[in-house]
Amino acid sequence: MTQLKLRQMPLEERTDSRGRTAARMVAAASGGWKVALVKILALAIVDAIALYAVLVLASVGDWVVVGVIVIVTAAVNVIYFRRGGLPAKYLAPGLIFLAIFQIFVVLYSGYVAFTNYGTGHNSTKEDAIQALILQSQQRVEDSPGYPVTVLENFGEIGLLLTTPEGDALLGRDGEVAEEVDARIEGGRAVALDGWNSLDFAGVVANQNRVTQMTVLLSEGGEDGSLRTQDGNTAYLYTSRFIYEPDRDVMVDTASGETFSDVGTGAFTSEAGKELMPGWKVDVGFANFERAFGEPTIREPLLAVTVWTFAFALISVASTFLLGLVLALVFNDPRMRSRSYYRVVMILPYAFPGFLSALVWSGLLNQEFGFINVVFLGGAEVPWLTNEWLAKFSILFVNLWLGFPYMFLVTTGALQSIPGELTEAAQMDGATPFQAFRLIKMPLLLVSVAPLLISSFAFNFNNFNLIYMLTRGGPRDITADVNVGATDILISMVYKVAFVGSDRDYGLASAFAIIIFVIVGTISVIAFRRTKTLEELN
């Protein structure tokens, strides 16, 4: 057909058409090699990053992750270098990011729930042994001094040590000292090739790093280590604890007490005393047993769960009712300037929630808050520090933040209901309230019910409001975990995992799994009820 059309064209038009076609082909070819070049460069960057990651992970023996990276990188290269397969080219980045930031996070959190991972148990057994030996070091009385020259190389600090026999040692923090060929003047090693010797000002500028350095004399630190307090002379330090690998025990040389590995992730004596730090081990369902078995954890967890349900339900009900009432009022055609009022109604929704919560935190301050100072004449009402007033304040602020959303949703739903239905009901003798209750409300719930469920799930995990307004306080001092009277489950999980000096990631992950089960169960039941509601209508 194309050839026939070309033959039917005049000669000049056919020449112009062929010229334009040739120009398009040249442009496409030039654009094609540019796209190919960009693709090759992008894949080269991806491969270089993957190669670096493989080398680093292989050096520490993490072969499972190495295998995953190699397989994924090979798949990416195959997808983008072969012809065709356009859907895979678009899906591959999304699937990779989904696996990294969603699936991996969920699976790892689930794994942590079955470990003792937390403060004092966040590394390996080998690291714990070395830390115990280094942390319990004491200076040996009458130990010989080792003259020190502080060295620097591209930001790294080293100690050039001179032994009593006159040999030179290069020491790095936490590593075994190695014998080197250094320049010695007056019986003191003063310079080493490849390193810069620091003067007094340079030593003072790096004083903290120098005084905190520990140079080992043997692997594991059994023979002691060298430390300096002035950057001029180092002395021998030995550890109070000695590790005996044959018996797999840690011995206290001062008391003779023996600490064994009993499987709890810490060296433990027969009397039950533990040496910290420990290491991470699998503990099975121990975190769940603590959550439901220990009264000092179970009772706060139960109280927080009840308050979380109450907070979510009351928040959804109050915001929906207020939003519905306002939508009915401003949906009345007799109301003048409705558009301006609607703009005013949605203003709280236009501001970031966390910022609004911070503003309300200042307004409700007991000593200088605007509410107490202006409205209550200087009365010091503890809006955020009293248990029940704090809960009321949270519900009130959440109502102020949440009703604009429900107002918008219900306004749209009401406007989608045909007016003929209400008119027909009124002609049949129904009152306006009966028409609303029997006609509008059921139709409204069909479209709004899924949004109510999502609003419940959102408020069930409304971390921003709780943490910005009260930080979960006031604190429950009887609990063994960091929890307060206004904490909901998600803020409790955050505080157990990240707030305070005693952080328990394993227990926090167990709480997170409990939250997932609760929210998932409620969502399934609620959506089934919503489907039933749709079938009835």
Side-chain angles (χ1 to χ4, degrees), residues 158-174:
L159 300 182
L160 185 59
L161 305 158
T162 307
T163 66
E165 293 79 15
D167 298 325
L169 302 175
L170 174 62
R172 296 180 176 89
D173 187 27

Side-chain angles (χ1 to χ4, degrees), residues 421-422 424-439:
L421 296 177
T422 305
Q426 291 177 351
M427 290 177 63
D428 289 339
T431 64
F433 178 75
Q434 290 175 331
F436 171 77
R437 183 175 63 87
L438 299 175
I439 298 176

Side-chain angles (χ1 to χ4, degrees), residues 319-320 323 345-346 348-350 399-412 448 450-452 454-456 458-459:
T319 55
F320 174 68
M345 288 297 103
I346 65 173
Y349 190 57
L399 174 62
W400 186 82
L401 291 171
F403 85 86
Y405 170 74
M406 292 299 181
F407 169 70
L408 292 173
V409 168
T410 52
T411 297
V448 174
L451 299 176
L452 295 178
S454 64
S455 179
F456 174 85
F458 171 78
N459 283 290

Side-chain angles (χ1 to χ4, degrees), residues 130 133 174-177 216-224:
Q130 186 173 9
I133 292 175
E175 299 182 11
V176 179
L216 304 180
L217 292 179
S218 63
E219 193 70 35
E222 292 84 358
D223 295 336

Side-chain angles (χ1 to χ4, degrees), residues 285-369:
F285 290 91
N287 289 316
F288 296 92
E289 294 174 359
R290 291 176 58 199
F292 296 110
E294 296 183 12
T296 53
I297 298 179
R298 181 185 66 243
E299 294 175 2
L301 175 62
L302 180 60
V304 169
T305 303
V306 171
W307 161 239
T308 303
F309 274 99
F311 167 71
L313 290 172
I314 295 174
S315 295
V316 172
S318 60
T319 55
F320 174 68
L321 290 177
L322 181 57
L324 177 60
V325 170
L326 293 175
L328 290 171
V329 171
F330 294 116
N331 199 46
D332 193 326
R334 295 171 295 179
M335 172 71 72
R336 295 183 178 180
S337 303
R338 290 181 296 168
S339 59
Y340 298 105
Y341 289 120
R342 286 171 179 167
V343 171
V344 175
M345 288 297 103
I346 65 173
L347 283 179
Y349 190 57
F351 291 98
F354 75 94
L355 184 60
S356 298
L358 286 175
V359 172
W360 275 104
S361 177
L363 293 175
L364 296 171
N365 186 275
Q366 180 176 347
E367 298 178 359
F368 53 81

Side-chain angles (χ1 to χ4, degrees), residues 247 250 257-260 262 267-274:
R247 295 194 297 158
M250 190 72 71
E257 194 172 10
T258 301
F259 297 82
S260 307
V262 295
F267 287 105
T268 308
S269 67
E270 293 182 357
K273 179 183 177 182
E274 291 185 341

Side-chain angles (χ1 to χ4, degrees), residues 34-54:
K34 292 179 181 178
V35 172
L37 180 60
V38 171
K39 180 171 67 175
I40 292 173
L41 290 176
L43 288 174
I45 294 173
V46 171
D47 292 345
I49 295 174
L51 178 61
Y52 175 76
V54 166

Side-chain angles (χ1 to χ4, degrees), residues 133-186:
I133 292 175
L134 294 179
Q135 291 176 5
S136 61
Q137 289 183 340
Q138 299 174 341
R139 179 178 169 180
V140 178
E141 295 184 5
D142 301 327
S143 66
Y146 290 68
V148 173
T149 299
V150 181
L151 306 177
E152 185 271 337
N153 182 32
F154 293 104
E156 181 184 6
I157 298 297
L159 300 182
L160 185 59
L161 305 158
T162 307
T163 66
E165 293 79 15
D167 298 325
L169 302 175
L170 174 62
R172 296 180 176 89
D173 187 27
E175 299 182 11
V176 179
E178 55 181 316
E179 189 171 349
V180 294
D181 185 13
R183 181 160 59 89
I184 299 178
E185 295 179 358

